[in-house]
Amino acid sequence: MVLRLCRMGDRRQAAVRELESRCMEADHTVHRMYLESDCNLDPFMKCFYIREMKGSPKSVLSISNMEDGRAEITAFTDPEYRRRGMFLELFGEAADMLRERGFDRVYFVHEPASKDGKKVLDRLGARYEKSEYMMEKRLDGNVGADSRRSGKDGIPAEGGIQAGAEILIAEAGPDDLERLTGLLADCFSMDPEYARERLREESGGSATEGGPEYSLWKACVKEELAGMCAVCREKETASLFDVCVRREDRRKGIGSALVRGVLDELTAAGIRRVRLQTGSERAAAVRLYRSLGFEETDRLDYYELFIDRSGPSAPPLCAPQGRSDIPSAPF
């Protein structure tokens, strides 16, 4: 029996989590399925498909982040019930629903450890698009010898900027918000209003007493904003995100100086571990982080599949084409 649901109640979520845990243990994977429906534009859309046998789920598929003609697919199938076509059955129904609503492609994110998941992606003809890397650096408690602490003195440029210029690394304040908004929106092709709201959250200090602390950092060259970085700190761990440099100022050592300066500040503040996430499409950023001592701790591979838009009676899949983005797990 296949269930088609807009949302899952607590009891069914618990049963799906049990299935998920069995799959993760068998496949040596770590990423869980998102079981809420708040990532969907239409709250009444059937975004969960569950194949039940003997009163418990044996295969589950979730659709999320439906926008711009694409949808993200995540799925798990009980290891003892694989190679019975359960995932393909669920995916066929989900593809029919998506086609009816005008979607033309789906994206799967695959954990390299899942060999069964890769076999299904190959069978579907899904095309590899990119990888996302989770990276980490452990701090030894010593401020870097190759970069001065941020503040009045600034941080010397690492080549490429004309003689006498300085890169100043400092914590951003409320007066910097509009300039940072423009930089973030331009670097990541982001809607300016969304970028503004994102930065307001990232500059909010501590959301709750004893909770994570947020801050924004800027890199300026001759008082002109050239780069930025957001930081989330919790106990002895920090995360870096929204690291970017103005397009015309790239390849001048600004990104390196910015990250080094922030790492020095975090070291001085007692942080012992720093994490970040980046992607293979940002090759220069990956090289930079590796040169600064960040190591890959996890990876997700993204695959794309185009689906036929001629109607629910048509074959559920067509030949892959184009480019990609998303999450999926062992099928």
Side-chain angles (χ1 to χ4, degrees):
M1 175 173 128
V2 176
L3 300 176
R4 306 163 190 81
L5 307 172
C6 298
R7 57 188 60 83
M8 271 195 260
D10 292 343
R11 183 176 299 178
R12 182 155 281 126
Q13 282 199 22
V16 169
R17 290 299 186 204
E18 289 183 12
L19 165 63
E20 180 186 65
S21 294
R22 289 196 298 275
C23 294
M24 292 170 64
E25 182 177 359
D27 295 298
H28 307 290
T29 57
V30 298
H31 293 274
R32 293 191 173 274
M33 177 181 288
Y34 190 70
L35 297 183
E36 303 299 331
S37 57
D38 56 2
C39 285
N40 299 330
L41 298 178
D42 183 350
F44 301 105
M45 184 178 289
K46 298 289 193 299
C47 53
F48 300 110
Y49 294 76
I50 304 173
R51 182 70 157 85
E52 289 193 340
M53 291 181 66
K54 301 178 182 179
S56 64
K58 303 303 180 187
S59 185
V60 59
L61 180 150
S62 170
I63 308 173
S64 62
N65 297 329
M66 300 182 231
E67 58 183 356
D68 298 329
R70 69 168 177 81
E72 299 180 0
I73 299 289
T74 308
F76 284 97
T77 298
D78 191 309
E80 295 183 8
Y81 287 82
R82 294 176 185 174
R83 288 169 288 280
R84 300 188 188 188
M86 289 186 178
F87 165 73
L88 295 178
E89 177 186 20
L90 298 184
F91 181 63
E93 295 210 18
D96 282 347
M97 184 275 297
L98 290 168
R99 281 196 303 271
E100 287 180 346
R101 291 175 174 263
F103 292 86
D104 62 4
R105 55 197 160 140
V106 294
Y107 294 99
F108 303 96
V109 177
H110 170 257
E111 289 188 65
S114 174
K115 293 181 173 59
D116 284 346
K118 183 60 167 62
K119 289 177 182 177
V120 174
L121 292 173
D122 290 342
R123 181 178 176 184
L124 290 174
R127 175 179 295 181
Y128 169 80
E129 167 64 17
K130 65 178 182 179
S131 295
E132 280 190 358
Y133 307 110
M134 277 54 75
M135 306 183 78
E136 183 176 297
K137 176 181 174 67
R138 292 188 177 274
L139 305 179
D140 61 10
N142 296 316
V143 174
D146 56 352
S147 62
R148 297 197 299 269
R149 293 284 305 281
S150 61
K152 291 182 180 179
D153 295 333
I155 295 179
E158 296 186 359
I161 295 178
Q162 53 260 61
E166 280 189 335
I167 304 173
L168 176 67
I169 310 301
E171 187 168 357
D175 294 341
D176 297 308
L177 187 60
E178 282 306 308
R179 290 193 302 161
L180 293 175
T181 295
L183 176 62
L184 184 64
D186 179 62
C187 288
F188 292 104
S189 301
M190 192 180 294
D191 176 74
E193 190 54 41
Y194 174 75
R196 184 175 292 106
E197 288 303 314
R198 184 180 178 97
L199 290 176
R200 283 174 181 160
E201 294 177 2
E202 293 172 358
S203 61
S206 179
T208 58
E209 186 175 351
E213 295 183 9
Y214 299 89
S215 60
L216 293 173
W217 292 80
K218 62 183 179 180
C220 295
V221 178
K222 294 183 176 180
E223 300 184 355
E224 287 291 326
L225 179 67
M228 65 157 289
C229 172
V231 178
C232 176
R233 294 169 47 187
E234 188 167 16
K235 297 181 179 178
E236 294 187 348
T237 300
S239 297
L240 306 185
F241 45 100
D242 289 346
V243 181
C244 58
V245 174
R246 193 169 56 178
R247 297 178 190 275
E248 57 266 37
D249 286 324
R250 293 173 185 173
R251 299 182 180 86
K252 298 178 179 178
I254 295 172
S256 177
L258 172 61
V259 176
R260 288 177 187 274
V262 171
L263 290 177
D264 280 354
E265 291 293 337
L266 294 175
T267 299
I271 298 297
R272 294 295 173 260
R273 183 167 57 183
V274 181
R275 296 168 174 168
L276 57 83
Q277 182 172 328
T278 189
S280 57
E281 75 281 11
R282 302 186 67 199
V286 174
R287 289 194 298 271
L288 166 63
Y289 298 136
R290 285 176 175 159
S291 73
L292 294 176
F294 283 88
E295 297 179 348
E296 181 183 321
T297 58
D298 193 11
R299 186 181 106 200
L300 290 174
D301 295 330
Y302 286 66
Y303 290 80
E304 176 185 64
L305 181 71
F306 275 65
I307 56 176
D308 195 305
R309 299 185 65 173
S310 59
S313 61
L317 306 175
C318 73
Q321 46 184 295
R323 308 281 303 169
S324 129
D325 198 0
I326 84 168
S328 103
F331 307 129

